[in-house]
Amino acid sequence: MSLKPVWIYVENGLFLEAKGFGASGTRVGEIVFNTSMSGYQEIMSDPSYAGQFVVFTMPEIGIVGTNDADMESAKVHASGMIVRKTNFEASNFRSSSSLPDFLEAHKTLGICDIDTRYLTKMVRDGGPRMMIASTEISSKEELKRLLEEAPRIEEVDYIQQVSTKEPYVHNYGAWDETALSYKEATNYLGKKIIAIDFGVKRNILNELCEVGLEVEVVPSTCKAEELIARYEAGEISGVFLSNGPGDPLILAEPIAQIKALIKAKIPLFGICLGHQLLSIAHGYPTYKLKFGQHGGNHPVKNSATGIVEITAQNHNYNVPDAVCEIATVTHMNLFDKTIEGLEYKETPAFSVQHHPEASPGPHESKYIFQTFAKRL
């Protein structure tokens, strides 16, 4: 595979030419940066990145190739990836495909030979911006016109694109795809939960199984009355609200269903988007951060223990400080003092903004899955 010209236009007027790899075509998305040193395949296949171009601050990307086992979902959901340099040859015994071939197979645009440090500083100082990239269109004015006509990320309900269409059972833990031994390998609790799929990562489901829970994944369109009936019948013990992409404020129907679950006093646990939706459903709308938190090295302080945990992050939106009127802050981000975890006072619900499944990232917050299992 050879590199090809790619032209980029950002809504602040920036026009650049770089090299493209992977798929060809024209893509629109919001540009964000990620500071993780590894895990590019997991990041690209994380449904939470739907509608976004990911700038990697790690300069060399693609060294270890790709493989099916490291996918966080069935496909790549990001609009594209932007790297300083890519590698066409992988050096890892687990690799089954190079990164360029992987992106081409998933119809995803890769961009390289570009100053990723400059782009990162641009997003850091000015916030995430919409951009368009094309291997077909070289005209700045045409790219500008197409970008202005395209919907913005906060106007698109990406949940409809990434959520499962049919319920299914996830019954294996980390590094166990046989679905045979996870019960013996864990302290099996014999409790079943429902995971509402707003764009769930596979490793989150793995970790829920690792602590001994039976996990049934349902579409984001599921109705609260059905879940409440199953809870009252003793069929399920709680509900998990998953991570996912886009602006949570436009998800009116899921918010309405979560309000009903809160009223029914069903045990709830949310991660990332699920954390944000719980806040909104309690009456405390989210706001957009200046440039978001994306990476695997963010310090978060556990308010109960005082321990600082290094965490993985991936979010552009945050819950407001006013939510402390009805909830206790359990975790705080030490970079910007934003809320990272909440325990609600009047309802059996808690949530975290960071990603305790650590894929990619450190493992210091994995205990949160155990906390959920013990409360059911």
Side-chain angles (χ1 to χ4, degrees):
M1 179 185 294
S2 59
L3 297 174
K4 53 213 166 193
V6 59
W7 294 272
I8 301 162
Y9 180 80
V10 185
E11 64 178 327
N12 63 357
L14 180 67
F15 181 61
L16 300 169
E17 181 178 348
K19 298 297 184 182
F21 63 98
S24 300
T26 302
R27 306 287 190 274
V28 173
E30 181 182 61
I31 181 172
V32 299
F33 65 85
N34 190 296
T35 60
S36 294
M37 300 293 286
S38 62
Y40 54 82
Q41 182 182 346
E42 291 91 334
I43 291 167
M44 292 302 293
S45 58
D46 179 352
S48 296
Y49 280 107
Q52 293 180 318
F53 282 94
V54 184
V55 178
F56 287 84
T57 59
M58 174 67 176
E60 294 275 349
I61 295 292
I63 300 170
V64 296
T66 64
N67 64 80
D68 292 341
D70 289 344
M71 294 291 286
E72 286 292 350
S73 64
K75 65 178 185 178
V76 172
H77 295 276
S79 297
M81 71 185 308
I82 304 175
V83 303
R84 179 67 186 91
K85 182 183 178 182
T86 192
N87 291 266
F88 287 84
E89 294 184 6
S91 179
N92 189 291
F93 73 96
R94 297 178 66 238
S95 176
S96 57
S97 176
S98 71
L99 178 59
D101 289 341
F102 169 80
L103 291 185
E104 185 173 36
H106 285 273
K107 301 179 181 180
T108 303
L109 179 62
I111 300 171
C112 65
D113 286 3
I114 193 169
D115 189 344
T116 51
R117 179 177 293 181
Y118 172 80
L119 293 177
T120 299
K121 289 180 178 179
M122 180 190 73
V123 175
R124 181 198 65 187
D125 296 338
R129 302 174 187 272
M130 295 298 293
M131 64 163 276
I132 184 170
S134 178
T135 60
E136 307 163 321
I137 303 168
S138 60
S139 167
K140 175 181 177 180
E141 293 306 316
E142 178 66 6
L143 291 173
K144 179 182 179 181
R145 183 187 67 81
L146 291 173
L147 181 60
E148 290 174 345
E149 293 176 352
R152 300 184 63 83
I153 191 168
E154 58 268 20
E155 298 171 344
V156 181
D157 182 355
Y158 287 101
I159 305 304
Q160 296 183 16
Q161 300 178 22
V162 302
S163 179
T164 182
K165 305 305 179 187
E166 299 291 338
Y168 66 92
V169 173
H170 184 95
N171 58 357
Y172 58 86
W175 301 104
D176 176 16
E177 298 182 1
T178 64
L180 296 176
S181 62
Y182 83 96
K183 291 182 181 180
E184 291 80 12
T186 62
N187 180 23
Y188 182 59
L189 299 174
K191 295 180 179 178
K192 182 175 184 176
I193 66 162
I194 294 295
I196 302 180
D197 179 14
F198 300 118
V200 70
K201 293 175 66 177
R202 191 168 290 166
N203 269 295
I204 288 179
L205 300 178
N206 291 348
E207 294 296 344
L208 289 168
C209 285
E210 282 288 314
V211 296
L213 297 173
E214 295 186 64
V215 182
E216 179 182 339
V217 186
V218 300
S220 62
T221 54
C222 69
K223 300 301 181 182
E225 57 184 301
E226 177 185 341
L227 301 185
I228 293 170
R230 296 179 68 180
Y231 175 72
E232 291 176 344
E235 184 181 337
I236 62 173
S237 299
V239 174
F240 170 71
L241 309 175
S242 86
N243 63 294
D247 187 342
L249 289 177
I250 71 171
L251 303 177
E253 185 57 28
I255 291 168
Q257 301 305 316
I258 293 171
K259 286 181 178 179
L261 296 177
I262 292 171
K263 186 177 180 180
K265 302 289 186 180
I266 294 179
L268 300 171
F269 170 40
I271 289 178
C272 203
L273 179 64
H275 166 78
Q276 298 160 13
L277 291 174
L278 267 176
S279 176
I280 298 170
H282 277 92
Y284 294 85
T286 52
Y287 64 95
K288 193 167 188 177
L289 294 166
K290 181 179 179 181
F291 53 82
Q293 305 280 15
H294 306 275
N297 58 347
H298 292 245
V300 168
K301 185 175 182 179
N302 184 314
S303 302
T305 65
I307 294 174
V308 175
E309 305 164 12
I310 304 302
T311 68
Q313 303 267 347
N314 176 21
H315 62 107
N316 276 356
Y317 300 88
N318 210 69
V319 302
D321 292 343
V323 75
C324 296
E325 296 171 353
I326 63 165
T328 300
V329 176
T330 59
H331 299 80
M332 179 71 70
N333 191 304
L334 296 184
F335 276 161
D336 59 7
K337 305 300 181 183
T338 54
I339 294 172
E340 287 284 345
L342 291 169
E343 175 85 42
Y344 289 89
K345 298 175 183 178
E346 302 297 329
T347 54
F350 77 106
S351 59
V352 291
Q353 182 62 74
H354 51 283
H355 281 257
E357 82 285 352
S359 181
H363 298 169
E364 296 174 25
S365 297
K366 289 178 66 172
Y367 66 88
I368 292 172
F369 294 102
Q370 296 176 339
T371 299
F372 180 47
K374 291 175 180 177
R375 293 187 181 191
L376 299 176

